[in-house]
Amino acid sequence: MKTYYNPEDLKKFGDISEWQEKLGEKFFDYYGAIFQDGALTKREKTLIALAVSHAVQCPYCIDAYTEESMEQGYDEEQMMEAVHVASALKGGATLVHGVQMMNKYKDLSM
Amino acid sequence: MVKLYNKSLLSQSDSLSDPKNQLNLLDKVNLIPFQENLKKSNLFPLKPINIDVFQVNIGKMCNQVCKHCHVDAGPDRKEIMTRDTMHLCLDAIDKTSCSTVDITGGAPEMNPDFRWFVKELFKKNKKIIVRCNLTIIVANKKYNDLPIFFKKHNVEVVSSLPYFNSKKTDAQRGNGIFDKSIKALKMLNEVGYGIEGSGLVLNLVYNPTGAFLPPNQSVLEADFKIKLMGKFGVQFNNLFAITNIPISRFLQYLLVSDNYKGYMQKLVSSYNPMAASSVMCRNTISISWDGYIYDCDFNQMLDLKVSAKEKHLSKYNFEELLNRNIIVNQHCYGCTAGSGSSCGGSVT
């Protein structure tokens, strides 16, 4: 069955450089640098990445950062809490627009 | 998550109980041969540096049936080392410039000559490590005094505890194992094991509870120390993070859970030349319950005896062993992935 997402494609991520080498290389250098220990540890960044993976709803990222989070020693509870943070932001971002709706509603009402 | 039997491969009549079938399977995976990577790292043929650790597997009998066990140990396994073979070990140790004797199993304490063997080693003034599964201490009244016995003979205790909660621990090691392990750890703490300044060393071993690599050892150790002390009042010295090697029951898990290919690819892509240069087989030899000599406990379980003319303790030849080529195969990627892995944890 054909699907839009194939888990095997994640291993081919690097192939994007074949059609635009310079930009591809810059991106992967940047990506690699981001996940080094810095003001935040690699471990902390992994959990942020796991949450963001859910927020951007990227199945490749979810697979990759679930495994990476396990390899960084996070457990189920911690990982699900991170997903809830993403959910809170996504939900909050939707709901806060309710204020805009309320403003517009009031503007159009007598 | 997959359902696995809490039985040895042998008692399940699983084809993987034959090491030849495991090796065939490992050979079939279309991945870079381990030798090729060693060649690129200028490490092939892999040679010993010395023999500092004399590891003895005194039997496959165990009171537990862990899902990842590379020994395929369990209550049904009757292979245990006799006192005669222990005598051969003691003779070989005299001919070896090793500082440490590392006793493993199964549950080594279930061997009726275990205590005799430890006493003999104590007389030789060797550092003695016992790989204790913890629950054996509380399994039967006759084992309750093990912490005192260990203390009396200055044994370093190394014990598996894959996580600081029952969910993960029991998933890997069997129902109720976590609670019993905590009880045993408290008994060890009571006589001084793991307590700073006591000189009695209690190290824990973490194995991933699934098809993934272990976390950073020092980060995990800090986590374990906070959680075990905070929740249970348990103390220990060091945590060893060990990678699961794709053999025996862990191999069965990988196959049944459809993780085999992905896990092997992960190990290969994580090959670390620094780890390869520090693998434990370069300073260790491993002895089986029946007195045969191997490069490591994993080669032992795959029945890959040392590449030397004399493969049995009855004709132990230290010089020949020092000059041997270490036998490597695809499972060796488990010891060279990421930070590397050994019986003493990460190697880089």
Side-chain angles (χ1 to χ4, degrees), chain B residues 68-89:
Chain B
H68 70 305
C69 181
H70 70 279
V71 178
D72 196 26
D76 61 300
R77 301 303 300 261
K78 307 300 178 204
E79 304 95 324
I80 54 167
M81 186 176 275
T82 62
R83 193 178 283 203
D84 283 347
T85 307
M86 287 178 180
H87 272 295
L88 292 177
C89 286

Side-chain angles (χ1 to χ4, degrees), chain A residues 8 11 37 41 43 64 66-79, chain B residues 163-165 167-168 206 209 211-216 219-220 223 227 261 265-266:
Chain A
E8 291 298 309
K11 291 174 201 137
D37 283 337
T41 63
R43 188 168 189 256
T66 297
E67 189 171 346
E68 183 64 25
S69 296
M70 292 168 86
E71 291 182 356
Q72 292 292 333
Y74 290 115
D75 62 25
E76 303 98 307
E77 206 180 343
Q78 292 167 317
M79 288 161 67
Chain B
Y163 214 63
F164 39 73
N165 67 30
K167 192 177 173 186
K168 281 177 185 282
Y206 163 95
T209 50
F212 57 97
L213 295 181
N216 177 285
V219 171
L220 197 65
D223 240 14
K227 294 283 168 40
K261 193 177 160 194
Q265 284 171 341
K266 179 89 186 183

Side-chain angles (χ1 to χ4, degrees), chain B residues 246-290:
Chain B
I247 65 168
S248 197
R249 289 218 283 269
F250 188 67
L251 179 57
Q252 183 198 38
Y253 157 76
L254 291 174
L255 292 168
V256 174
S257 63
D258 200 24
N259 276 308
Y260 177 54
K261 193 177 160 194
Y263 189 72
M264 289 306 295
Q265 284 171 341
K266 179 89 186 183
L267 292 184
V268 175
S269 65
S270 307
Y271 173 80
N272 177 357
M274 288 288 286
S277 68
S278 308
V279 281
M280 64 177 174
C281 52
R282 300 192 78 188
N283 72 349
T284 303
I285 54 162
S286 163
I287 309 299
S288 61
W289 66 276
D290 50 358

